[in-house]
Amino acid sequence: MQLGMVGLGRMGGNIVRRLLAAGHHCVAYDRDPAPGAELAKEGAQAVADLPAMVAALQAPRAIWVMLPAGAATEAALVTLAGLLSPGDVLIDGGNSMWKDSIRRGAMLREKGLHFLDIGTSGGVWGLSRGYCLMIGGEAEVVARLDPLFQALVPGKDSAPPTPGYAGDPRAEQGYVHAGPNGAGHFTKMIHNGIEYGMMQAFAEGLDILHHADSPALPAEHRLTLNLPEITEAWRRGSVVASWLLDLTAQALAQDPKLEGFSGHVSDSGEGRWTVDAAVASAVQAPVLAAALFARFASRDEDRFSGKVLSAQRKGFGGHLEAKKG
Amino acid sequence: MQLGMVGLGRMGGNIVRRLLAAGHHCVAYDRDPAPGAELAKEGAQAVADLPAMVAALQAPRAIWVMLPAGAATEAALVTLAGLLSPGDVLIDGGNSMWKDSIRRGAMLREKGLHFLDIGTSGGVWGLSRGYCLMIGGEAEVVARLDPLFQALVPGKDSAPPTPGYAGDPRAEQGYVHAGPNGAGHFTKMIHNGIEYGMMQAFAEGLDILHHADSPALPAEHRLTLNLPEITEAWRRGSVVASWLLDLTAQALAQDPKLEGFSGHVSDSGEGRWTVDAAVASAVQAPVLAAALFARFASRDEDRFSGKVLSAQRKGFGGHLEAKKG
Amino acid sequence: MQLGMVGLGRMGGNIVRRLLAAGHHCVAYDRDPAPGAELAKEGAQAVADLPAMVAALQAPRAIWVMLPAGAATEAALVTLAGLLSPGDVLIDGGNSMWKDSIRRGAMLREKGLHFLDIGTSGGVWGLSRGYCLMIGGEAEVVARLDPLFQALVPGKDSAPPTPGYAGDPRAEQGYVHAGPNGAGHFTKMIHNGIEYGMMQAFAEGLDILHHADSPALPAEHRLTLNLPEITEAWRRGSVVASWLLDLTAQALAQDPKLEGFSGHVSDSGEGRWTVDAAVASAVQAPVLAAALFARFASRDEDRFSGKVLSAQRKGFGGHLEAKKG
Amino acid sequence: MQLGMVGLGRMGGNIVRRLLAAGHHCVAYDRDPAPGAELAKEGAQAVADLPAMVAALQAPRAIWVMLPAGAATEAALVTLAGLLSPGDVLIDGGNSMWKDSIRRGAMLREKGLHFLDIGTSGGVWGLSRGYCLMIGGEAEVVARLDPLFQALVPGKDSAPPTPGYAGDPRAEQGYVHAGPNGAGHFTKMIHNGIEYGMMQAFAEGLDILHHADSPALPAEHRLTLNLPEITEAWRRGSVVASWLLDLTAQALAQDPKLEGFSGHVSDSGEGRWTVDAAVASAVQAPVLAAALFARFASRDEDRFSGKVLSAQRKGFGGHLEAKKG
């Protein structure tokens, strides 16, 4: 099949590579010409602008936009909507807010265009492992593009079968048609929310292991623990075995005290939107919220809330937690 | 009445002053002679060591130990237990762990001595406002020392009566005989646990107000808010009116951005023991635990848990949150 | 002064009463004629519809809408906007979302009208204690209506002065001009968020006290505690002294085990919006979020998250937490 | 090698089976004779009591106790300590508290015996997948029993190698010599603490998916999502891929709404001790604590904390959340 790819960063570029490897034809565009030139050497057709991409594809076209969520994605979708013909498909494979995808689906439908919102998980490993895709949109459109998805996902053999599973066989390949527009990005948002919680669970547990020799503990209770060995052992047979554990063990193997990191952690939209979604539907999500707030706290240089506590403590108890003079 | 006071720091010294003002006789001891000499000018009888204190009091004696929890309190109680006579009363008014108070009560009972564990709230304001006392021990002993407690507590007029209250009238003065040994310090522990939660609630709310003009927000949603005025207004008629709010408003009136504080906040035993008590009795205490962890986070210079998150993010997504080189 | 009041429920009706008591003239309207008739006996001028209210007031008019947030408030403001004349003031004193207040302020400004968003705290006690008001809007309009606000707030004598306070004297009366439109409801939202956290702190602490005699604890550590007496004692001299504690002590005095309550707790918009605001400005708010989630949990009859945990436990450990057959 | 196994429940029995399959000689005892008779058919030597077990093993003996933590384990270890000879090894493979293991190690060392505390993960799947073992004790003793551990663990091929790993090769087999006595159970405790956090992360995320069609949401934002398909798809290529996800997908495949479960979730010691350990070493662990409290909440039939909130709401706002009459 043919696919146009707009945005040739780490994700977009590797998706093109995986499609090329499966024999598909890819038309590639990025405002920076370098990655397109690189992909051209690998078999892609690089184009200089969006009109050239539209011209290079046969109708009904499929164009995948893989850009930062927000203004960049909005601009590309709007521009392409003006260039495409009825029946063409636009795909947003980035980390867009699911409500935007509902809105964009309706907007494109009015122009006779189809829209798929695809949450894409796999990161830098997707090229070799395959990508997990969470797709929102019309069933017929998903079916039409199935050959592309088949090329991108890890495939059935990448995990043992689930006894009793009787749903859509696509899920056993590593992708899911989650529902109408919005459902793909909603599902990806929750995936990332869970990811935040799992990551923080590991982070806290390892932090306790790391402090098991704290001088604040009674001497007879202090333990000096080897985190690279412990995480490596957990990878086999334990309940916490997971890809995140594999990555954690790998990082600790290479830097046992993780001294190469600052400890300041960024967050992206999905973790925040997950908390908003929990609040909106009155679902308790204390772990997902705590994981998000831990990231905020890691970057809180101002410490205003701590200052309020210190001011109160000084007020009632005369405790001094003042700045060093 | 007579009372011996061991430990003449901020709390012990002011308790003596409040008792003196009510006409009681106080024998005062501290390993540093200075505060005893000062109190002697105000009417107390300063002594040079514990045997002298015991000699200066008539049986049945009452001696109040007001020392840091842990080794200092244990040593003073053990020493005094060897000096006192059956029927005498030992009081631990400090922030001891309630299980220690159960153990010490049993230990002293074997020697024919009485023991009261008294949680004391009021901080630096207790001298003028009176202290709230939470007492564990035998009813007869509490009754015997009632004149002392009456002198220490704020008294009935310090708050409007509670409609329908029909319990022990002591509570309407500001003290409670909470139960047998351990009950006083258990009740004080929970008091402080609640205090942590309330403080953190204010800290978080004010932090959001403080960041209401954050450049991360859409320009049309940014608000510049005056925290000294807002907290002052809340002191009258609002649901969050409280002594902690009074102290917060006062701190903000004097230092609107609280620039005099570092934001690193200490914690004492009670906040920790409260979480342990919740866990032991399978009571959900997410707010009290979160308040404690926020203090831990405020002092977490190592940020190991953040480093774990960054290492994972680098592992799956190639995100770099490395140290500045 | 003159004020029109739209919505004569518990809050609206009592605000009218407090204004009447101060000698102001109130024109009152509710779609149910009963409360207007009642207020007419107390000196208000009841009208049958909004045009009649507008006709009954002299320009520049001031009309206070006190209706449920959302559709009811929106409808009343839109209708009144069509009836009023340039220079008139519309007030939304309900619990509206602050972003709506920003939007409405702009919408009314286009019509030459003024808008104040006023967060109103005080509940059923406001009639006697006065209301704490958090006001967003133009300074001149706040100044013009100052006599009304002065009649509503608790007044300077209702709390001791804050040493060093040098801000707007209004705050010392119990109200604050927080900023432009939106600032009033934003400030009220945070007030309620803090309220949620404080309430939950008390709830958790008291829950631990309530379970101090749990048979799950070692026999020598069990304590039977008297919550009415403990909360009554805390009202005087302790750090947790607060209006919420007063109300808690009162409830426990009348129903020591709170058997009259189901334990299912509602939440209103402000608690949710506070969490959303924290997330939007990247402020850590673990206590405020945990307090909100505890309310969600109290109403979670489905327990789907618990079912997921049980399914996982059965999966790896063979643990059975199945429904009783 | 020879091993004595005391306690032939699900874990103990399957450990024996896995050792038998590897050609080791097992002497098996349980106070219930049935499981021993069953294992005898599979090649084990069943004995009638502990003295018979000691007699059946050649010195230096190794006896593995696999009993519920607490009194049962303590009694078995004390009895065996009186029967064994210097140089023999006692193993506690259960879920004991790590401080107990430090104490027991010291107690047994005084008798010339060796002690290993082994945290054992793998549950009902260990027989086929192998067990992950976390071992505390002397290095020589671990080395001596290595053939047994090699038979129990999943082995190196059960996971791809970790690039750069250069620690003890045992960890690449699925077991770790974590340190001296206590280190095995400490490491297992943290493993389970992390497990709680990961489980709760999935539970919350799936709960939000489950409520994505809530009537409380605006109609245009409601989504009906297929949880069996989504979790199946996530198993391949996504960041949350994990054994817990495999089990979750399996449960949902068989019971899409998990209607076979009550939603009341038990907790065992390790989750609680993890929170205590975090508190003791001043490590922030909001996610691990929240995961524990969510289990407490799932079993909270009394809802006393909710009643406190309702009582306060009634107090200030007249809100009624009373029991249905």
Side-chain angles (χ1 to χ4, degrees):
Chain A
M1 289 189 78
Q2 289 186 320
L3 182 79
M5 176 64 70
V6 176
L8 304 175
R10 200 153 36 198
M11 292 290 286
N14 283 346
I15 287 173
V16 168
R17 285 187 181 90
R18 205 165 155 101
L19 290 172
L20 292 174
H24 295 291
H25 179 71
C26 295
V27 181
Y29 168 73
D30 195 284
R31 61 180 187 176
D32 172 4
E38 192 64 37
L39 284 166
K41 294 183 206 160
E42 305 176 40
Q45 177 181 357
V47 291
D49 55 27
L50 295 180
M53 171 172 284
V54 172
L57 293 164
Q58 290 173 300
R61 300 172 189 83
I63 299 183
W64 183 306
V65 175
M66 203 68 183
L67 293 171
T73 295
E74 184 79 14
L77 292 173
V78 167
T79 300
L80 285 163
L83 298 170
L84 292 174
S85 314
D88 289 348
V89 183
L90 267 172
I91 298 169
D92 176 7
N95 281 325
S96 293
M97 213 289 173
W98 61 279
K99 293 181 192 173
D100 285 332
S101 297
I102 292 176
R103 175 179 57 76
R104 289 166 180 160
M107 180 261 284
L108 295 170
R109 205 152 36 241
E110 284 183 13
K111 298 180 190 285
L113 300 173
H114 303 289
F115 181 60
L116 297 183
D117 54 293
I118 303 189
T120 310
S121 184
V124 292
W125 296 81
L127 177 58
S128 56
R129 285 172 100 225
Y131 297 92
C132 178
L133 305 178
M134 295 149 259
I135 308 174
E138 296 152 279
E140 300 73 15
V141 179
V142 176
R144 192 204 300 175
L145 302 186
D146 239 351
L148 298 173
F149 303 142
Q150 295 273 354
L152 290 176
V153 297
K156 190 161 185 180
D157 292 343
S158 64
T162 294
Y165 179 76
D168 185 341
R170 284 184 182 106
E172 293 180 292
Q173 310 282 334
Y175 67 122
V176 61
H177 177 214
N181 280 145
H185 281 141
F186 190 94
T187 303
K188 175 58 159 44
M189 169 186 78
I190 297 300
H191 167 277
N192 284 32
I194 294 171
E195 171 192 308
Y196 274 45
M198 292 173 71
M199 289 173 70
Q200 181 68 16
F202 277 114
E204 295 178 7
L206 295 178
D207 202 12
I208 303 172
L209 293 178
H210 179 66
H211 283 87
D213 63 352
S214 163
L217 299 171
E220 69 272 22
H221 287 163
R222 278 177 225 156
L223 295 165
T224 303
L225 300 171
N226 185 314
L227 272 63
E229 294 187 3
I230 288 172
T231 48
E232 180 63 28
W234 284 347
R235 296 180 62 227
R236 292 172 179 83
S238 92
V239 176
V240 302
S242 55
W243 192 47
L244 279 167
L245 176 61
D246 293 348
L247 297 171
T248 307
Q250 189 170 329
L252 287 163
Q254 290 159 10
D255 180 1
K257 304 209 165 172
L258 303 177
E259 291 170 333
F261 299 94
S262 66
H264 297 89
V265 192
S266 299
D267 73 286
S268 57
E270 289 95 345
R272 300 184 181 200
W273 302 330
T274 296
V275 173
D276 289 343
V279 168
S281 55
V283 169
Q284 47 182 315
V287 156
L288 305 189
L292 179 66
F293 291 139
R295 295 195 181 190
F296 292 170
S298 82
R299 309 192 308 258
D300 181 7
E301 302 292 349
D302 185 20
R303 297 181 191 270
F304 189 74
S305 62
K307 292 174 184 174
V308 172
L309 298 180
S310 291
Q312 292 175 325
R313 298 187 81 226
K314 186 182 173 199
F316 64 73
H319 309 285
L320 282 179
E321 289 162 334
K323 276 198 161 143
K324 287 153 199 159
Chain B
M1 288 189 77
Q2 290 187 320
L3 181 80
M5 176 62 70
V6 177
L8 305 175
R10 200 154 37 198
M11 293 290 285
N14 282 347
I15 287 173
V16 167
R17 285 187 181 90
R18 205 164 156 101
L19 290 172
L20 291 173
H24 296 291
H25 179 71
C26 295
V27 182
Y29 168 73
D30 195 285
R31 60 180 187 176
D32 171 4
E38 191 64 37
L39 284 167
K41 294 184 206 158
E42 304 177 39
Q45 175 181 359
V47 292
D49 54 27
L50 295 180
M53 171 173 282
V54 172
L57 293 164
Q58 290 172 303
R61 299 171 189 85
I63 298 183
W64 183 305
V65 175
M66 203 67 183
L67 293 171
T73 295
E74 184 80 12
L77 291 174
V78 168
T79 301
L80 285 163
L83 298 170
L84 292 174
S85 313
D88 288 350
V89 183
L90 267 171
I91 297 168
D92 176 8
N95 280 326
S96 293
M97 213 288 172
W98 60 280
K99 293 181 191 172
D100 285 333
S101 297
I102 291 177
R103 175 179 57 76
R104 288 167 181 159
M107 179 262 283
L108 295 170
R109 203 150 39 240
E110 283 183 13
K111 298 180 190 285
L113 300 173
H114 303 289
F115 181 60
L116 297 183
D117 54 292
I118 303 189
T120 311
S121 184
V124 293
W125 296 81
L127 177 58
S128 57
R129 285 171 101 227
Y131 297 93
C132 178
L133 305 178
M134 296 148 258
I135 308 173
E138 297 152 279
E140 301 74 15
V141 178
V142 176
R144 193 205 297 175
L145 302 187
D146 240 350
L148 297 174
F149 302 142
Q150 297 272 355
L152 290 175
V153 297
K156 191 163 183 177
D157 292 343
S158 64
T162 293
Y165 180 76
D168 186 342
R170 285 184 182 105
E172 293 179 292
Q173 310 282 333
Y175 65 123
V176 60
H177 177 213
N181 281 145
H185 281 141
F186 189 94
T187 302
K188 175 58 159 44
M189 170 187 77
I190 298 299
H191 167 277
N192 284 31
I194 293 170
E195 171 192 309
Y196 274 45
M198 293 171 72
M199 290 171 71
Q200 181 69 16
F202 277 115
E204 295 178 7
L206 295 178
D207 202 12
I208 303 171
L209 293 178
H210 180 66
H211 284 86
D213 61 353
S214 163
L217 299 171
E220 70 272 23
H221 287 164
R222 277 177 226 156
L223 295 165
T224 302
L225 300 171
N226 185 315
L227 273 63
E229 293 187 4
I230 288 171
T231 48
E232 180 63 27
W234 285 347
R235 294 180 63 228
R236 292 172 179 84
S238 92
V239 175
V240 302
S242 55
W243 192 46
L244 279 167
L245 176 62
D246 293 347
L247 298 171
T248 306
Q250 189 170 329
L252 287 163
Q254 290 159 11
D255 180 2
K257 303 209 166 173
L258 303 177
E259 292 171 332
F261 299 95
S262 66
H264 298 89
V265 192
S266 300
D267 72 286
S268 58
E270 288 94 346
R272 300 184 182 200
W273 303 330
T274 296
V275 173
D276 289 342
V279 168
S281 55
V283 169
Q284 47 182 316
V287 157
L288 306 189
L292 179 65
F293 291 139
R295 295 196 181 190
F296 291 171
S298 82
R299 310 192 307 258
D300 182 7
E301 301 292 351
D302 186 20
R303 298 181 190 267
F304 189 74
S305 63
K307 292 174 183 174
V308 173
L309 298 179
S310 290
Q312 293 175 326
R313 298 187 83 226
K314 185 183 172 200
F316 65 72
H319 309 286
L320 282 178
E321 288 163 335
K323 275 194 162 146
K324 287 152 199 160
Chain C
M1 288 188 80
Q2 289 187 321
L3 182 80
M5 176 65 68
V6 177
L8 305 174
R10 201 156 33 202
M11 293 290 286
N14 283 345
I15 288 173
V16 168
R17 286 187 180 90
R18 207 164 154 102
L19 290 172
L20 291 173
H24 296 290
H25 179 70
C26 295
V27 182
Y29 167 73
D30 194 285
R31 62 181 185 176
D32 172 4
E38 192 64 39
L39 284 167
K41 294 184 206 160
E42 304 176 39
Q45 176 182 357
V47 292
D49 54 27
L50 295 180
M53 171 173 283
V54 172
L57 292 163
Q58 292 173 300
R61 300 172 189 85
I63 299 184
W64 182 306
V65 176
M66 202 68 182
L67 293 171
T73 294
E74 183 80 13
L77 293 173
V78 168
T79 301
L80 285 163
L83 298 170
L84 292 173
S85 314
D88 289 350
V89 183
L90 268 171
I91 297 169
D92 175 7
N95 280 325
S96 293
M97 212 291 173
W98 61 279
K99 293 181 192 172
D100 285 333
S101 298
I102 291 177
R103 176 180 56 78
R104 288 166 181 159
M107 180 261 285
L108 295 170
R109 202 151 38 238
E110 285 183 12
K111 297 178 190 287
L113 300 172
H114 303 289
F115 181 59
L116 298 183
D117 53 293
I118 305 189
T120 311
S121 185
V124 294
W125 296 82
L127 177 58
S128 57
R129 284 171 101 226
Y131 298 93
C132 178
L133 304 178
M134 295 148 259
I135 308 173
E138 297 151 279
E140 300 74 14
V141 179
V142 176
R144 191 204 301 175
L145 301 186
D146 239 351
L148 298 174
F149 303 142
Q150 296 272 356
L152 290 176
V153 297
K156 191 162 183 180
D157 292 343
S158 64
T162 292
Y165 179 77
D168 185 341
R170 287 184 180 105
E172 294 180 291
Q173 310 281 334
Y175 67 123
V176 60
H177 177 214
N181 280 146
H185 282 141
F186 190 94
T187 303
K188 175 60 160 43
M189 170 186 78
I190 298 299
H191 167 277
N192 283 32
I194 294 171
E195 173 193 307
Y196 275 46
M198 292 172 73
M199 289 172 71
Q200 182 67 17
F202 276 115
E204 295 178 8
L206 295 178
D207 202 11
I208 303 172
L209 293 178
H210 180 65
H211 283 88
D213 63 352
S214 163
L217 299 171
E220 70 272 22
H221 287 163
R222 279 177 224 155
L223 295 166
T224 304
L225 300 171
N226 186 314
L227 272 62
E229 294 187 2
I230 288 171
T231 47
E232 180 62 28
W234 285 347
R235 295 180 62 228
R236 291 171 179 85
S238 92
V239 175
V240 302
S242 54
W243 192 46
L244 278 167
L245 176 62
D246 293 348
L247 297 170
T248 306
Q250 189 170 329
L252 287 163
Q254 290 160 12
D255 179 1
K257 304 207 165 173
L258 302 177
E259 291 170 335
F261 299 95
S262 66
H264 298 88
V265 192
S266 299
D267 73 284
S268 57
E270 287 94 346
R272 301 184 182 201
W273 303 329
T274 296
V275 173
D276 288 342
V279 168
S281 54
V283 170
Q284 48 182 316
V287 156
L288 305 188
L292 178 66
F293 291 139
R295 296 195 180 191
F296 291 171
S298 82
R299 309 191 308 258
D300 181 7
E301 301 293 350
D302 186 19
R303 298 180 189 271
F304 189 74
S305 62
K307 291 173 184 175
V308 173
L309 298 179
S310 291
Q312 292 175 325
R313 298 187 82 227
K314 186 182 172 199
F316 64 72
H319 308 286
L320 284 177
E321 288 163 335
K323 275 195 163 146
K324 287 149 199 163
Chain D
M1 288 188 79
Q2 290 187 320
L3 181 80
M5 176 64 69
V6 176
L8 305 174
R10 201 155 34 201
M11 293 290 285
N14 282 346
I15 287 174
V16 167
R17 284 186 181 90
R18 206 167 154 99
L19 290 173
L20 292 173
H24 295 291
H25 179 71
C26 295
V27 182
Y29 168 73
D30 195 285
R31 62 181 185 174
D32 172 3
E38 192 63 38
L39 284 167
K41 293 183 207 161
E42 304 176 39
Q45 177 182 355
V47 292
D49 55 26
L50 295 181
M53 171 173 283
V54 172
L57 293 164
Q58 290 173 300
R61 299 171 188 85
I63 298 183
W64 183 307
V65 176
M66 202 69 184
L67 293 171
T73 294
E74 183 81 13
L77 292 175
V78 167
T79 301
L80 285 164
L83 297 169
L84 291 175
S85 313
D88 289 349
V89 183
L90 267 171
I91 297 168
D92 176 7
N95 280 325
S96 293
M97 212 289 172
W98 61 279
K99 292 181 192 172
D100 285 333
S101 298
I102 291 177
R103 175 180 56 76
R104 287 166 181 159
M107 180 260 286
L108 294 170
R109 204 151 38 239
E110 284 183 11
K111 297 178 191 285
L113 300 172
H114 304 289
F115 181 60
L116 298 183
D117 53 292
I118 304 189
T120 311
S121 185
V124 295
W125 295 82
L127 177 57
S128 57
R129 286 172 99 227
Y131 297 93
C132 178
L133 305 178
M134 294 147 258
I135 307 173
E138 298 152 278
E140 300 75 15
V141 178
V142 176
R144 193 205 297 174
L145 301 186
D146 240 350
L148 298 173
F149 302 142
Q150 296 271 355
L152 290 175
V153 296
K156 189 161 183 180
D157 292 344
S158 63
T162 293
Y165 179 76
D168 185 342
R170 286 184 181 105
E172 293 180 291
Q173 309 283 334
Y175 66 123
V176 60
H177 177 215
N181 281 145
H185 282 140
F186 190 94
T187 302
K188 176 60 161 42
M189 170 186 78
I190 297 300
H191 167 277
N192 284 31
I194 293 171
E195 171 192 309
Y196 274 47
M198 292 172 71
M199 290 172 70
Q200 182 67 18
F202 277 115
E204 295 178 7
L206 295 178
D207 203 11
I208 303 172
L209 292 179
H210 180 66
H211 284 87
D213 62 353
S214 164
L217 299 171
E220 70 273 22
H221 286 163
R222 278 176 226 157
L223 296 166
T224 303
L225 300 171
N226 184 314
L227 274 61
E229 294 187 2
I230 289 171
T231 49
E232 180 63 27
W234 284 347
R235 294 180 63 228
R236 291 171 179 83
S238 92
V239 176
V240 302
S242 55
W243 192 47
L244 279 167
L245 176 62
D246 293 348
L247 298 170
T248 306
Q250 189 170 329
L252 287 164
Q254 290 159 12
D255 180 0
K257 303 208 165 173
L258 302 178
E259 292 170 334
F261 299 94
S262 64
H264 298 88
V265 192
S266 299
D267 73 285
S268 58
E270 287 94 347
R272 300 185 183 200
W273 304 329
T274 296
V275 174
D276 288 342
V279 168
S281 54
V283 169
Q284 47 182 317
V287 157
L288 305 188
L292 179 66
F293 291 139
R295 295 195 180 191
F296 291 171
S298 82
R299 308 192 310 258
D300 181 6
E301 301 293 349
D302 186 19
R303 298 179 190 269
F304 189 73
S305 62
K307 293 174 183 175
V308 172
L309 298 179
S310 290
Q312 292 175 326
R313 298 186 83 227
K314 186 183 172 198
F316 64 73
H319 308 285
L320 282 178
E321 289 164 335
K323 273 195 165 145
K324 288 149 198 163

